[in-house]
Each structure stands twice: as structure tokens, then as C-alpha cells.
């Protein structure tokens, strides 16, 4: 009995771990199931790609694809609701291995998306992170 009380007391002293927040405080909405694959994208990729994308509607999809030579392809798909407009409905960016470098914006017509892969300029990128998000 005493062990259970000590255990309960120790557990109550541990602060709960909050899930990582999105750069714009978006929350997952669950229409498209989230996906996490390997290799896991670097933490900085979500923040830097969000800055490049300049998301301008409440509902959007974020997808990160791992490519050869530590390159990353990031896709944003805007899903404007009634009364909303979006500058662009879809955007692609290619990032290198290091944070802080300006990404290359990829023309939407160039990448070929099939299932969990994207082919662009003869290189295949594999889906490793997908989130269906709603901004506050």
C-alpha cells in the first residue's frame, strides 16, 4: 500500500509532456491520418518550410519527403474553406541537409506524386511526415 502511495506521489511530481506545437499553433484535425516514416525529417524542416510557404488559409496539408544526399522535398496543399482564398493551392520546396539555407521553390507541375513517393528531376523522394492541420 505504501509503495502505491509513493509511486503515485512521484508520478504527480513529473510535469506532463506537451506534444510539440506547430510553428503557427495549428492543430491536427484528422481528416487525413498523420504519417511518420524513416528517416525522420530534421526538426528545423517544419519551421523553415512553414516560413517559406506563407500559409494563407486555415486548413492545409503538410508533407515532407526524404530524398537522396540528405535532401528534402516539402509539399503544402491549401484547402480553403468557404469564403477563404489562397494565393496558391499547392507549393513544393527542396531543402538541403543544413538549416538556414534558402530552399529552392519547385514548380508545381514538375514533381510527379504517386502514393508515398514523389519523383522530381529523376530522383525519388519518400514520404516521411504528413499532417492535416487547422490554424486557429
Amino acid at each position: 500500500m505504501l509503495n502505491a502511495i509513493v509511486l503515485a506521489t512521484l508520478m504527480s511530481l513529473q510535469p506532463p509532456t506537451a506534444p510539440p506545437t506547430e510553428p503557427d499553433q495549428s492543430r491536427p484535425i484528422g481528416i487525413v491520418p498523420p504519417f511518420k516514416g524513416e528517416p525522420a525529417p530534421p526538426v528545423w524542416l517544419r519551421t523553415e518550410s512553414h516560413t517559406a510557404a506563407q500559409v494563407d488559409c486555415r486548413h492545409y496539408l503538410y508533407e515532407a519527403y526524404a530524398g537522396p544526399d540528405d535532401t528534402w522535398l516539402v509539399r503544402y496543399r491549401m484547402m480553403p474553406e468557404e469564403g477563404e482564398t489562397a494565393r496558391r493551392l499547392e507549393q513544393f520546396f527542396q531543402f538541403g541537409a543544413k538549416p538556414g539555407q534558402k530552399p529552392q521553390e519547385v514548380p508545381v507541375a514538375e514533381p510527379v506524386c504517386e502514393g508515398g513517393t514523389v519523383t522530381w528531376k529523376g530522383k525519388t523522394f519518400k514520404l516521411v511526415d504528413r499532417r492535416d492541420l487547422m490554424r486557429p
Side-chain angles (χ1 to χ4, degrees), residues 81-92:
E81 297 175 347
E82 188 176 329
E84 276 189 316
T85 59
R87 227 174 352 99
R88 290 182 265 176
L89 294 179
E90 187 172 23
Q91 298 177 68
F92 280 93

Side-chain angles (χ1 to χ4, degrees), residues 16-131:
T17 56
T21 60
E22 297 293 333
D24 59 358
Q25 304 306 307
S26 293
R27 62 179 167 73
I29 62 170
I31 294 172
V32 176
F35 175 81
K36 298 279 186 195
E38 293 294 327
V43 175
W44 57 264
L45 185 65
R46 173 71 177 111
T47 303
E48 290 193 18
S49 68
H50 185 78
T51 299
Q54 299 176 0
V55 173
D56 57 358
C57 67
R58 287 188 67 217
H59 183 193
Y60 64 98
L61 293 176
Y62 161 82
E63 296 172 335
Y65 296 83
D69 304 320
D70 291 324
T71 58
W72 303 92
L73 199 62
V74 178
R75 179 185 191 191
Y76 280 83
R77 290 190 285 166
M78 308 305 162
M79 303 191 153
E81 297 175 347
E82 188 176 329
E84 276 189 316
T85 59
R87 227 174 352 99
R88 290 182 265 176
L89 294 179
E90 187 172 23
Q91 298 177 68
F92 280 93
F93 300 93
Q94 181 188 25
F95 289 84
K98 296 180 182 176
Q101 298 175 336
K102 185 176 180 178
Q104 175 183 353
E105 188 160 358
V106 176
V108 175
E110 291 182 9
V112 177
C113 303
E114 294 183 43
T117 63
V118 171
T119 304
W120 179 59
K121 291 191 173 184
K123 297 178 182 176
T124 300
F125 294 79
K126 179 177 83 167
L127 180 66
V128 293
D129 190 2
R130 177 180 54 221
R131 305 173 198 190

